[in-house]
Amino acid sequence: MAPGSPAARRRAAPRLLPALLAGESKALWISDLSKVTSQPSPRADAEVLAPAPALPASVANIARAFFCLHVFAIAFALEVSVGKTNTVMALNNSNVLLPCTFTTCIGFQDLVFTWYFNLTEMIYHGKIKSKASEPFLVGRNPRVEFVGSTTGKDNNISIVLKNVEFSDAGRYTCHVKNPKEKNAQHNATIYLTVVQKMVEADNTVTLIIVCIVGGLIGLLILFMLIKRVVLFIIKKTQDGKKECLVSSSGNDNTENGLAGSKAEQKAPPKA
């Protein structure tokens, strides 16, 4: 009998049916299993939603310490100053000092400082190796002279501008960069005004005010002295009146023959 004949297929049908049924049930079981496994696990959700474990106390303290150090470094970082006032007035054809100092909490090394005119023109450029060394020149304008010092108490990087002209009036910026502070940079600005003649301040109003105030103070002192003298005279006058009243009352008692008078002191007449 040929394998593919109808009779062979009819004989094989009873054996294939259980196998097909078994295969279908296995497929259903696998499908159910995939549905079950595809659902999220409650335990997995709990692990995802659970908060992260807290850091140990030592780690938290270290983190806080680093944060405090960072804030401290920011608070005392590189600072540049041109003094209490940021304006300077100079006479034409004269020399003028442009002050500038800097401070840093951790020191400096290979520090670079630059002076700019109106933020574009570099008029002085210098470097400082360390606190123990003075700045050395890198580049400058011929009319600019360095007059500061960094080996002393103050880190002075001031300059002098010689023979100023009206065209020199403007904005001068002192810029400092410190590689030791992760290339921290800071600057300060000073404004220069050039005039032909210095105008003297008119102190007339000030003198008038001083005279008025001085006069009022003098009058007040004179009034206090007069008051004390008047009070002294009044007191002396009142004391004199009291003495007169006492003495006059004694005389009246004597004349009227009262107790203590001279009439009581006379001897009785003889019989």
Side-chain angles (χ1 to χ4, degrees), residues 126-188:
K127 290 186 178 180
I128 311 173
K129 183 70 176 177
S130 63
K131 181 66 177 177
S133 60
E134 292 288 355
F136 62 90
L137 174 65
V138 178
R140 71 180 179 94
N141 186 294
R143 293 194 298 121
V144 175
E145 179 184 358
F146 181 79
V147 293
S149 176
T150 56
T151 56
K153 182 179 179 180
D154 298 327
N155 297 318
N156 190 343
I157 50 176
S158 303
I159 60 174
V160 169
L161 183 61
K162 300 180 179 179
N163 300 323
V164 296
E165 302 173 353
F166 292 106
S167 58
D168 294 325
R171 179 178 181 178
Y172 290 83
T173 302
C174 177
H175 182 271
V176 179
K177 179 180 179 181
N178 187 14
K180 193 172 182 180
E181 291 187 75
K182 296 183 179 181
N183 288 324
Q185 303 182 43
H186 200 261
N187 61 70

Side-chain angles (χ1 to χ4, degrees), residues 16-230:
L16 291 174
L17 184 59
L20 290 173
L21 293 175
E24 184 179 358
S25 62
K26 184 177 181 181
L28 292 173
W29 179 79
I30 293 174
S31 176
D32 295 338
L33 181 62
S34 64
K35 291 180 181 180
V36 173
T37 55
S38 64
Q39 296 178 357
S41 173
R43 182 178 180 183
D45 292 343
E47 292 178 354
V48 172
L49 297 176
L55 292 174
S58 58
V59 177
N61 292 334
I62 294 173
R64 283 194 293 268
F66 274 109
F67 176 76
C68 292
L69 289 175
H70 180 69
V71 173
F72 180 82
I74 293 175
F76 296 93
L78 180 67
E79 291 290 339
V80 180
S81 174
V82 292
K84 295 181 179 180
T85 178
N86 63 342
T87 57
V88 174
M89 182 177 293
L91 190 64
N92 188 31
N93 293 325
S94 66
N95 299 339
V96 60
L97 173 68
L98 301 179
C100 182
T101 59
F102 69 89
T103 57
T104 173
C105 61
I106 62 174
F108 59 89
Q109 188 173 5
D110 297 327
L111 182 138
V112 179
F113 66 96
T114 310
W115 278 91
Y116 293 98
F117 174 58
N118 289 337
L119 299 177
T120 56
E121 180 184 352
M122 186 193 72
I123 61 175
Y124 195 92
H125 182 48
K127 290 186 178 180
I128 311 173
K129 183 70 176 177
S130 63
K131 181 66 177 177
S133 60
E134 292 288 355
F136 62 90
L137 174 65
V138 178
R140 71 180 179 94
N141 186 294
R143 293 194 298 121
V144 175
E145 179 184 358
F146 181 79
V147 293
S149 176
T150 56
T151 56
K153 182 179 179 180
D154 298 327
N155 297 318
N156 190 343
I157 50 176
S158 303
I159 60 174
V160 169
L161 183 61
K162 300 180 179 179
N163 300 323
V164 296
E165 302 173 353
F166 292 106
S167 58
D168 294 325
R171 179 178 181 178
Y172 290 83
T173 302
C174 177
H175 182 271
V176 179
K177 179 180 179 181
N178 187 14
K180 193 172 182 180
E181 291 187 75
K182 296 183 179 181
N183 288 324
Q185 303 182 43
H186 200 261
N187 61 70
T189 300
I190 189 169
Y191 296 89
L192 174 63
T193 303
V194 182
V195 296
Q196 182 63 36
K197 182 180 179 181
M198 291 292 185
V199 179
E200 296 182 359
D202 188 4
N203 297 324
T204 304
V205 177
T206 304
L207 292 175
I208 293 174
I209 294 174
V210 171
C211 292
I212 292 174
V213 173
L216 291 175
I217 294 175
L219 289 175
L220 180 62
I221 294 174
L222 180 61
F223 173 76
M224 296 298 294
L225 290 175
I226 294 174
K227 181 180 178 182
R228 291 180 68 89
V229 171
V230 171

